[in-house]
Amino acid sequence: MKSRSTERGLTKARLGQGLFRHRVAEREPACRFTGLARQQFLVASHIKPWRSCDNSERLIGANGLLLSPHVDKLFDRHWISFDSGGQLIWQHEAAGEALRCWGIEGANLIRPFSRKQEEFLSAHRDALRH
């Protein structure tokens, strides 16, 4: 049986996830990789991982992208990222192989990132797998 404090903590976390998703969706209307705009099929992915964020960074919309689930997995694990111009980048051949199998040659929606998004993405690129 869960304690009341555990239940309150889980409720707060779920509410925070919903708020984060809403804030990301205000900035990112579709998956930058696939172009899919049906939000019910997209994941609100943190650029800077939740575990590495302070409380303000966890819920800021600029720390997220809406991604199709298959590319979210690669992005979340630092197999792929974006350059400052919005182009898809990767360095490890395993990532390139997965993208080719999925028919993804590059970013589908290439548009600039906000200054704050670029700050988060710069650190994400630094952690890209080689």
Side-chain angles (χ1 to χ4, degrees):
M1 188 162 138
K2 294 179 187 170
S3 71
R4 289 179 84 70
S5 63
T6 301
E7 288 178 8
R8 279 192 297 270
L10 289 172
T11 299
K12 275 181 76 174
R14 284 189 197 107
L15 291 172
Q17 289 170 354
L19 180 59
F20 173 71
R21 181 181 182 80
H22 174 76
R23 289 176 175 172
V24 172
E26 287 180 333
R27 296 172 167 271
E28 297 287 320
C31 174
R32 285 180 179 252
F33 294 102
T34 64
L36 181 64
R38 291 196 173 266
Q39 292 192 8
Q40 66 267 37
F41 299 136
L42 301 176
V43 176
S45 184
H46 281 83
I47 300 169
K48 182 177 180 180
W50 175 275
R51 68 185 170 280
S52 303
C53 292
D54 62 31
N55 285 337
S56 67
E57 293 172 325
R58 286 182 173 155
L59 298 179
I60 187 172
N63 185 21
L65 299 171
L66 285 182
L67 301 175
S68 296
H70 58 310
V71 292
D72 169 62
K73 188 161 196 151
L74 294 179
F75 184 81
D76 190 51
R77 296 183 179 176
H78 295 95
W79 288 99
I80 59 177
S81 193
F82 292 97
D83 69 15
S84 59
Q87 295 284 345
L88 170 65
I89 58 171
W90 74 89
Q91 295 181 357
H92 197 284
E93 181 51 33
E97 180 183 348
L99 293 167
R100 282 190 298 279
C101 286
W102 293 333
I104 298 173
E105 296 178 20
N108 194 317
L109 298 176
I110 301 170
R111 55 190 183 85
F113 293 102
S114 71
R115 189 175 71 244
K116 191 65 176 170
Q117 281 177 305
E118 179 53 33
E119 289 173 24
F120 287 116
L121 281 165
S122 177
H124 189 270
R125 286 191 295 271
D126 290 345
L128 200 60
R129 291 180 188 244
H130 296 278

